[in-house]
């Protein structure tokens, strides 16, 4: 149970960080590109979906003049489901299938449950519930989570009528050496 709690904390800190302790997470990292969705994917038409997602994918490519090319797009479950179920009328395929065919360099289309209902908007800092997505290159030279001390569990120690098992671990937060290779989108 302690190991699972530690892993959940690492996951939370990797995405959102912790201002009190100075741990910077990916979504609120000051050096990543942030943009707003023009409309929620859940309410967008197929053409609007294609236009929005292509603009998100193109952002790091355009900013770096083609040097950085993303390979992963992570969305909320609702946004992913909207892409996977909305059909393009003329082609009779889903928007997701069409986007995968048009952007073969994006090899991972994922959903992240923690991207739903963030209490603080990563772009504006406003305290209003928002859903986010991230486009990035899955490469340690572009983005990494620094964990200087992984979870360690020490031998049990008798204290009074119980046995206490000390555990510890450390996390330094997200390090983004190539900040233009990551795009965080709010309002997806």
């Amino acid at each position: 149970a302690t190991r699972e709690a530690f892993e959940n904390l690492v996951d939370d800190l990797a995405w959102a960080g912790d201002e009190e302790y100075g741990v910077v997470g990916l979504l609120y990292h000051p050096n990543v590109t942030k943009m707003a969705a023009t409309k929620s994917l859940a309410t967008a038409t197929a053409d609007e979906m294609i236009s929005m997602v292509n603009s998100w994918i193109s952002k790091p490519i355009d900013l770096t003049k083609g040097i950085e090319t993303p390979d992963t797009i992570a969305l909320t479950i609702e946004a992913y489901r909207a892409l996977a179920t909305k059909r393009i009328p003329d082609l009779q395929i889903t928007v997701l299938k069409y986007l995968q065919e048009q952007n073969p360099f994006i090899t991972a289309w994922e959903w992240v449950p923690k991207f739903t209902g963030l209490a603080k908007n990563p772009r504006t800092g406003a305290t209003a519930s928002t859903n986010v997505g991230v486009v990035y290159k899955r490469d340690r030279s572009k983005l990494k989570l620094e964990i200087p001390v992984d979870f360690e569990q020490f031998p049990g120690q008798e204290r009074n009528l119980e046995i206490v098992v000390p555990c510890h671990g450390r996390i330094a937060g997200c390090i983004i050496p190539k900040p233009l290779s990551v795009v965080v989108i709010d309002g997806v």
Side-chain angles (χ1 to χ4, degrees), residues 35-61:
M35 58 189 297
T38 54
K39 192 174 195 180
S40 167
L41 288 176
T43 60
T45 66
D47 287 337
E48 290 170 331
M49 288 176 165
I50 293 167
S51 175
M52 280 192 295
V53 174
N54 278 332
S55 74
W56 304 339
I57 292 169
S58 299
K59 191 69 167 179
I61 298 169

Side-chain angles (χ1 to χ4, degrees), residues 12-74:
D12 290 344
L13 293 173
W15 294 121
D18 188 323
E19 286 183 39
E20 182 181 345
Y21 292 100
V23 177
V24 181
L26 174 66
L27 300 178
Y28 300 103
H29 200 285
N31 296 334
V32 300
T33 304
K34 296 176 176 82
M35 58 189 297
T38 54
K39 192 174 195 180
S40 167
L41 288 176
T43 60
T45 66
D47 287 337
E48 290 170 331
M49 288 176 165
I50 293 167
S51 175
M52 280 192 295
V53 174
N54 278 332
S55 74
W56 304 339
I57 292 169
S58 299
K59 191 69 167 179
I61 298 169
D62 295 343
L63 286 173
T64 62
K65 300 188 183 335
I67 294 171
E68 301 293 341
T69 304
D71 65 2
T72 304
I73 184 165

Side-chain angles (χ1 to χ4, degrees), residues 86-101:
K86 178 74 99 182
R87 291 192 153 310
I88 301 172
D90 299 340
L91 301 178
Q92 293 304 315
I93 61 171
T94 66
V95 172
L96 180 60
K97 184 72 173 165
Y98 178 80
L99 288 166
Q100 288 171 331
E101 290 173 2

